[in-house]
Amino acid sequence: MDGNGRWAERRGLSRLEGHRRGADSVRTITRAARALGIKRLTLYAFSEQNWGRPVLEVNGLMHLLKDYLLNEREEILTNGIRLEAIGRLERLPDMVRETLDELRAASSHNTDMVLCLALSYGAREEMTYAVQRIAERVRRGDLNPDQIDEHVLASELDTVDADLIIRTSGEQRLSNFLLWQSAYAEFYFTDALWPDFGKAELQEALAVYARRNRRFGLVA
Ligand code: IPE
Ligand code: MG
């Protein structure tokens, strides 16, 4: 979800105002995805690297996140959405983590759609911690090194393979998002800034995705 800052700067607004409008897009896109029958939507909301932004912006984003979780609680629960989160959640301020944990627990039995927030997330970090846990299993004698295959590694990661990865704002890179899980993902890049990315833009991305020929290394 990229381009909140540029959206605001072009209008002479504060970056935080851009993030507020970005949160509106999150609501719109979550509703649209559910209506379109998408089963899992993962949103890269805050990266491990984003902690390095100015402290005022980081604090603003954390408050926005907490407000989002409180405001969306009812809609998430009544629409059968299960809220999940990936990343180093222990780095989040208590007020965010408590709100997040409460909604994750309250929505844990919902099955219509998973809304997964990547928070304090980095794919290299995710893979590094997965390797640490595997090494620990080996040290305990629960696993032999020659038993480590891609299924073992995948099972230690925080989330599953992605089918489609959308990046807004004209940037064409992954920026430490789902490096392992994107091995066979389709990529869709759009110049639209995240606050301008609405239902029509999502439908266009899905229409492009539907025309792709996915072969997974095999012949057609
Ligand atoms: C993405 O918008 C939102 C977050 C990283 C939280 P940016 O803040 O990266 O917006 P630009 O890239 O400055 O336009
Ligand atoms: Mg950006």
Side-chain angles (χ1 to χ4, degrees):
M1 302 186 288
D2 203 6
N4 294 348
R6 278 162 285 172
W7 184 94
E9 280 152 20
R10 281 177 199 172
R11 289 163 177 77
L13 301 169
S14 71
R15 292 182 56 83
L16 212 54
E17 190 53 36
H19 294 314
R20 268 188 213 106
R21 296 298 291 258
D24 293 339
S25 282
V26 167
R27 188 172 306 118
T28 304
I29 293 304
T30 303
R31 280 183 189 155
R34 189 186 174 285
L36 291 163
I38 289 170
K39 286 295 170 190
R40 173 178 289 270
L41 175 67
T42 301
L43 300 173
Y44 199 8
F46 193 85
S47 74
E48 276 281 77
Q49 289 65 37
N50 285 153
W51 290 113
R53 291 192 178 194
V55 69
L56 274 176
E57 181 168 347
V58 171
N59 286 346
L61 281 165
M62 290 300 140
H63 279 98
L64 206 55
L65 181 55
K66 192 193 83 172
D67 290 346
Y68 165 81
L69 292 166
L70 292 173
N71 293 337
E72 297 313 298
R73 186 176 191 284
E74 209 47 47
E75 186 163 336
I76 284 173
L77 293 177
T78 55
N79 282 289
I81 297 172
R82 183 163 84 242
L83 186 79
E84 293 183 355
I86 58 173
R88 286 179 71 186
L89 307 180
E90 66 274 13
R91 290 192 76 182
L92 297 171
D94 289 346
M95 56 127 186
V96 173
R97 220 189 36 255
E98 284 160 13
T99 316
L100 181 66
D101 287 346
E102 193 280 327
L103 191 49
R104 285 160 83 198
S107 67
S108 64
H109 298 295
N110 286 347
T111 55
D112 288 356
M113 183 175 91
V114 174
L115 172 61
C116 177
L117 301 181
L119 298 170
S120 194
Y121 175 83
R124 286 181 170 178
E125 290 84 348
E126 176 192 28
M127 285 195 269
T128 303
Y129 298 127
V131 170
Q132 284 181 6
R133 286 191 293 273
I134 291 168
E136 189 55 41
R137 285 165 66 185
V138 171
R139 184 168 67 171
R140 285 198 308 265
D142 297 340
L143 191 70
N144 288 320
D146 60 7
Q147 290 177 303
I148 301 171
D149 59 13
E150 64 177 84
H151 301 288
V152 170
L153 189 40
S155 71
E156 290 289 348
L157 296 175
D158 292 349
T159 191
V160 295
D161 281 0
D163 290 314
L164 170 64
I165 293 183
I166 298 172
R167 182 165 186 158
T168 57
S169 86
E171 310 295 353
Q172 301 192 12
R173 54 178 173 264
L174 267 179
S175 300
N176 208 13
F177 185 58
L178 302 185
L179 296 181
W180 173 283
Q181 297 91 337
S182 64
Y184 283 96
E186 296 295 326
F187 290 87
Y188 180 82
F189 298 105
T190 170
D191 287 338
L193 303 174
W194 177 249
D196 294 324
F197 191 85
K199 183 167 187 173
E201 286 73 17
L202 177 64
Q203 281 173 317
E204 172 60 18
L206 293 172
V208 169
Y209 171 77
R211 291 196 292 271
R212 301 266 176 93
N213 184 3
R214 302 182 78 193
R215 291 184 294 278
F216 300 95
L218 308 176
V219 288

